[in-house]
Amino acid sequence: MRLYLHAASVLISRGRLCLNMPKQRSLKTIPKELPLCDGPKLRMFQHHASRIQWLERLGNDLDGTPAEGYVFRAKIKNREYAIKVFKFHDPMSNDHFWEPLIGEDTPLETVSYYTDPFYAECRAYGRIHDAVKRGLLTDVALPCHGFVFLREQDEDILQDRNIDLELGNVDLQYQRSTVGGCRARAIVKDLASADTGVDGKSLQRVLLGIIALNRQRIYNMDIRLDNYRDGQIVDFGSSWTEPHILLDALDSEAAYDSRLADRTMFDEMVEDEEIPNPRKLKAVHPMKLRSQRV
């Protein structure tokens, strides 16, 4: 019994030691564009060094614990934005998914570029920015202004508000080796209203937006009513943007289904949310052939 209590005490002490270790904020220079892999990249927010005035937290589930991070209304240089602050991501948390596809020897940093919600948004918005400039996308996604790594004083403010970014749930040695180390990551977007903007009148435009997004090889993977504000998609934390090593590793049928997922989710959203559909719009026809492509 004494041996058991001693062992338990040691484990608790080790846990506290791990969680209380100095964060040793990374001294690496933050790149101007992320992620550091092939494919689209998002630029750093223009006012990344400016003071952030943190206002209220946004979202429908303020009492719950979000999966990816927390969204706040904030003011920077007299302009209000929505800032999504991401939780720290451990690639080993979903190794059961990626290891069979790309192998256990794949560097964790590489894995993170395709599984971390922060990098998913960076890649998607990097492609969106390029498509908007070329006139290929319009009003599909909530405008994004870039990424930012938070300063220590900002992290302290969030901690005082009991915001847990779950640094204690990741391997600190791995985290310190990543871009930005233990600094919190965030993405700055336009501030939208609380209205989804999805109804019978806008439904066709919403569907055409999804199709246009997919044509740019961006797959949101989270098409649902709560992911819309003012008729625009607001979150790309679950998205896959090509080139994507996991998508490339899937067999042809699974890859096809993945590329079709947004349209399938659109039909499910319309049905589940009972959105008026006077034109009887269907994103995926029941008789759609497997040989067809986006």
Side-chain angles (χ1 to χ4, degrees):
M1 182 66 175
R2 289 180 180 176
L3 180 62
Y4 171 80
L5 291 175
H6 174 71
S9 176
V10 170
L11 288 174
I12 292 172
S13 297
R14 286 178 180 173
R16 288 175 179 169
L17 178 63
C18 178
L19 294 178
N20 292 330
M21 286 176 67
K23 290 173 64 175
Q24 294 182 6
R25 299 166 65 83
S26 175
L27 298 179
K28 296 180 182 179
T29 301
I30 305 298
K32 298 296 183 183
E33 295 183 331
L34 287 174
L36 301 177
C37 63
D38 292 340
K41 297 169 176 51
L42 181 65
R43 291 191 61 81
M44 184 182 290
F45 178 50
Q46 179 183 5
H47 306 300
H48 63 92
S50 298
R51 175 180 175 270
I52 301 175
Q53 181 183 351
W54 297 92
L55 303 173
E56 76 273 15
R57 184 180 156 195
L58 303 175
N60 293 332
D61 186 20
L62 299 182
D63 295 327
T65 302
E68 298 177 2
Y70 302 83
V71 181
F72 292 88
R73 184 169 69 92
K75 184 178 289 187
I76 304 173
K77 295 183 74 69
N78 295 319
R79 176 175 173 179
E80 290 190 356
Y81 297 93
I83 300 182
K84 180 179 179 180
V85 183
F86 290 81
K87 293 181 178 181
F88 291 94
H89 175 76
D90 184 356
M92 293 304 295
S93 64
N94 54 3
D95 59 339
H96 61 281
F97 172 64
W98 59 262
E99 274 192 3
L101 292 173
I102 58 177
E104 62 181 9
D105 294 331
T106 305
L108 291 183
E109 189 168 22
T110 299
V111 174
S112 72
Y113 293 149
Y114 301 94
T115 60
D116 186 336
F118 170 69
Y119 286 127
E121 293 226 15
C122 286
R123 288 167 51 79
Y125 270 113
R127 176 69 53 75
I128 290 169
H129 284 177
D130 180 63
V132 169
K133 288 180 181 178
R134 293 187 291 143
L136 300 175
L137 286 178
T138 305
D139 296 331
V140 176
L142 187 71
C144 169
H145 302 277
F147 69 84
V148 61
F149 282 72
L150 300 187
R151 299 171 300 174
E152 193 165 4
Q153 54 264 47
D154 294 309
E155 294 176 349
D156 290 341
I157 291 172
L158 297 182
Q159 187 173 7
D160 289 342
R161 298 190 184 188
N162 296 318
I163 298 300
D164 182 11
L165 300 180
E166 300 184 1
L167 178 61
N169 293 348
V170 302
D171 182 277
L172 287 179
Q173 184 175 358
Y174 159 75
Q175 189 60 48
R176 288 177 180 137
S177 71
T178 64
V179 173
C182 293
R183 293 179 63 180
R185 302 95 38 90
I187 285 183
V188 183
K189 305 178 186 180
D190 270 7
L191 188 65
S193 75
D195 184 8
T196 66
V198 179
D199 53 30
K201 294 181 179 179
S202 66
L203 202 57
Q204 183 176 32
R205 179 174 60 81
V206 168
L207 175 56
L208 291 176
I210 291 172
I211 294 172
L213 200 68
N214 291 168
R215 284 175 177 162
Q216 297 305 310
R217 299 188 299 160
I218 305 167
Y219 313 102
N220 179 263
M221 301 295 195
D222 192 26
I223 298 297
R224 54 190 172 84
L225 194 60
D226 195 44
N227 200 14
Y228 278 88
R229 291 293 182 271
D230 302 327
Q232 298 176 315
I233 300 174
V234 298
D235 192 284
F236 286 84
S238 299
S239 65
W240 283 13
T241 302
E242 297 191 68
H244 197 288
I245 59 173
L246 296 178
L247 184 58
D248 293 342
L250 295 175
D251 62 47
S252 58
E253 183 173 336
Y256 176 79
D257 289 342
S258 295
R259 292 185 174 101
L260 201 66
D262 288 351
R263 301 189 192 191
T264 302
M265 291 179 185
F266 171 86
D267 287 340
E268 293 172 350
M269 175 182 71
V270 173
E271 181 178 354
D272 294 345
E273 300 291 345
E274 299 181 350
I275 301 172
N277 187 9
R279 298 188 180 187
K280 307 299 181 184
L281 298 172
K282 290 288 290 185
V284 181
H285 193 278
M287 300 300 293
K288 190 174 182 66
L289 298 176
R290 283 285 178 184
S291 61
Q292 290 180 294
R293 290 294 184 264
V294 173

